[in-house]
Amino acid sequence: GDTMDIDIVCTLVSAVAHVDEGNASRDELDVATDQVRRLLAWVQAQQIRITQGLTRVAVFPEDAVARGSRVSLGQAGRLVERAETAAEAPKLTAAIEAGQAAGEHMDALTRVLRDVEPDVRPALVARAEALVAVAAAQTPQEWTRRLRTEARRLSDDDDATRFEQQCRAARLTTVVDPVSGMWRLSGVFDPLTGSKLQRVLDAAVNRLFPDATPPTCPTDPIARQDHLRALALADLLARGGGTLSTPEAILVLQAGDQGEVVIDLGGEMEVPQ
């Protein structure tokens, strides 16, 4: 149904609690998995409601959410953002409470709204509200891609304007992980800068480890490459950085979703013509 009242929630809780995971069949476990998903979504909807209440009464709602939920201020900030977006998107909020969508779908809308101009925001929210059934049928990652497509259509931007937006959206954040004590670096860059950085990192890895890898290397091949890139970046920063040369590329011209011309630099990055 379109709603999930407390009786349905109690029925779902009872059904999940009585599953014998050691003897249940695959079909029974699949049903239970879906029931757990619906329950988690319902709880997320209640969390949105309570967070909206805290936003109304607390001077620093992020701190109140962090204390009550026993999460970091960063996580609390994301929950407050989720609640703020939910106030603008009641249909998507209702779908979450009904167990059809999830809080992560609301987070996707939050992220995409952050990247559009203020005058486009109301129209994008309206499009998201009209596409709630689509969100319910998609993973949060698929929903994010759909929202970005809608944002491009509403913005009526050409590739050059989109590239300018990507340049403005460049971010680099650093944080110390409270559990591991590791210094964490996270960044997003426009596709052209990303291609240049990738070229510098690849060159540094080849220069530092031409024949052998250090003893700290993991055995997993993907983790090994991540480790080597981390060491290469540390070396580059210690040396004062590298030169961001123009990346070499095989230029493959192809039509994008809206008929625009896209230059393929390899990998997942695209640069406007």
Side-chain angles (χ1 to χ4, degrees):
D2 294 332
T3 61
M4 187 154 62
D5 60 31
I6 195 66
D7 290 335
I8 296 176
V9 173
C10 291
T11 299
L12 288 172
V13 170
S14 178
V16 170
H18 285 88
V19 171
D20 180 0
E21 70 279 5
N23 296 299
S25 68
R26 171 61 188 270
D27 288 343
E28 290 171 330
L29 291 171
D30 285 343
V31 169
T33 298
D34 185 66
Q35 291 170 330
V36 169
R37 176 192 63 79
R38 293 175 63 193
L39 283 171
L40 286 173
W42 183 85
V43 170
Q44 287 177 322
Q46 309 319 304
Q47 189 178 48
I48 286 172
R49 277 197 315 111
I50 302 305
T51 302
Q52 288 172 336
L54 285 173
T55 301
R56 178 178 58 84
V57 301
V59 176
F60 186 15
E62 290 82 359
D63 181 65
V65 173
R67 291 176 182 274
S69 301
R70 298 184 182 179
V71 298
S72 69
L73 273 177
Q75 291 172 303
R78 288 188 287 275
L79 290 174
V80 170
E81 284 186 320
R82 175 186 288 180
E84 290 173 344
T85 304
E88 300 182 59
K91 291 182 180 178
L92 182 56
T93 303
I96 295 171
E97 187 164 12
Q100 297 163 352
E104 289 74 19
H105 289 89
M106 192 69 73
D107 297 339
L109 179 56
T110 299
R111 290 192 299 272
V112 177
L113 285 172
R114 196 182 295 140
D115 293 337
V116 302
E117 296 298 328
D119 59 334
V120 176
R121 185 182 179 103
L124 181 56
V125 171
R127 287 299 297 151
E129 289 281 83
L131 295 169
V132 165
V134 175
Q138 292 185 327
T139 66
Q141 292 75 22
E142 292 168 337
W143 175 237
T144 300
R145 290 194 291 270
R146 177 57 184 268
L147 289 175
R148 294 200 185 283
T149 298
E150 295 298 328
R152 287 198 297 273
R153 290 173 179 170
L154 290 167
S155 299
D156 195 26
D157 293 331
D158 57 24
D159 282 342
T161 303
R162 183 186 177 201
F163 183 65
E164 290 173 4
Q165 291 177 336
Q166 290 172 326
C167 291
R168 287 195 296 270
R171 299 288 188 275
L172 186 67
T173 59
T174 63
V175 65
V176 176
D177 189 301
V179 177
S180 67
M182 300 286 282
W183 184 69
R184 185 180 296 276
L185 182 72
S186 176
V188 291
F189 302 90
D190 66 84
L192 186 57
T193 302
S195 297
K196 294 177 180 180
L197 289 171
Q198 186 70 58
R199 180 179 173 82
V200 171
L201 279 172
D202 289 344
V205 169
N206 292 333
R207 172 177 55 82
L208 291 170
F209 313 108
D211 301 313
T213 56
T216 54
C217 253
T219 55
D220 179 80
I222 296 176
R224 182 189 307 126
Q225 283 303 115
D226 291 344
H227 183 69
L228 294 179
R229 274 193 295 268
L231 298 181
L233 178 60
D235 182 78
L236 285 169
L237 293 176
R239 293 169 176 266
T243 301
L244 297 189
S245 59
T246 301
E248 295 178 356
I250 299 175
L251 301 185
V252 179
L253 302 183
Q254 56 186 13
D257 292 340
Q258 305 303 311
E260 73 275 17
V261 175
V262 174
I263 299 176
D264 184 1
L265 289 179
E268 298 181 355
M269 289 181 286
E270 297 175 351
V271 176
Q273 185 180 22

